[in-house]
Amino acid sequence: MGLLDSVLNGLGDDAAGGLSDLLKGQGGVAGLAEKFGQNGLGDLAASWISKGGNAAISPEQIAAVIGSGPIADFAKKLGISPEQASETLAGLLPEAIDRLTPNGSAEGADDMLGGLLENLPGGIGGALGGLFKR
C-alpha cells in the first residue's frame, strides 16, 4: 500500500471528490504543473508526471502554489484545518499526479478526474470506492 492509499484511508468520505475538485479547479494536471512552473517549482511537478521518482514538496510550497482559498475548500470537504490540508496535499499530490500520469505525460490525465479518480492504476480506485461506501 502506497502513501496515497494510506492517506486516503485515513480521510473522510469526500477525499476523492475533494482531490478531484481541487485538481479540476487548478486546471487539471497540466494546469497545476504550469502553476508550479510559474512559482519556480516546475521540476517538482515534472518529477510527478515523469516515469522517475517523485520529488517531495512541503506544505508551505503547496500553499504558495495552490492558494489559501482552494486549500480551505479542500479542508472543509475533509473536515480538517487548512494547515492539515496542506500537509495532506504535500503527501498526496505527488503520488496522485504520478498515478494519473502512468505514461509519463499529463495528456489524458484529466479524463480520469471525471470518474472521481475511480480508474486510477495502482489500486487506489478500490481504496477510494471503499472509502465512499462507509
Side-chain angles (χ1 to χ4, degrees):
M1 179 184 304
L3 175 63
L4 181 60
D5 300 312
S6 297
V7 170
L8 289 175
N9 282 330
L11 296 177
D13 292 341
D14 290 328
L19 180 58
S20 179
D21 290 348
L22 178 82
L23 287 171
K24 287 177 186 176
Q26 299 299 307
V29 172
L32 184 61
E34 184 177 327
K35 281 185 137 181
F36 272 89
Q38 292 168 353
N39 284 276
L41 300 171
D43 290 345
L44 291 178
S47 77
W48 307 340
I49 294 169
S50 71
K51 291 187 176 189
N54 295 329
I57 187 165
S58 72
E60 295 79 19
Q61 289 170 314
I62 289 284
V65 173
I66 294 176
S68 60
I71 289 176
D73 292 342
F74 180 73
K76 184 176 179 180
K77 287 180 184 183
L78 297 174
I80 59 177
S81 72
E83 293 78 20
Q84 288 172 310
S86 292
E87 289 174 24
T88 298
L89 287 168
L92 190 68
L93 272 180
E95 192 171 345
I97 300 294
D98 185 57
R99 290 190 188 189
L100 283 166
T101 58
N103 297 320
S105 170
E107 185 176 328
D110 296 337
D111 296 339
M112 292 187 196
L113 292 175
L116 295 176
L117 307 174
E118 291 172 8
N119 299 317
L120 283 175
I124 189 169
L128 292 175
L131 188 63
F132 285 131
K133 291 178 182 161
R134 281 198 234 161

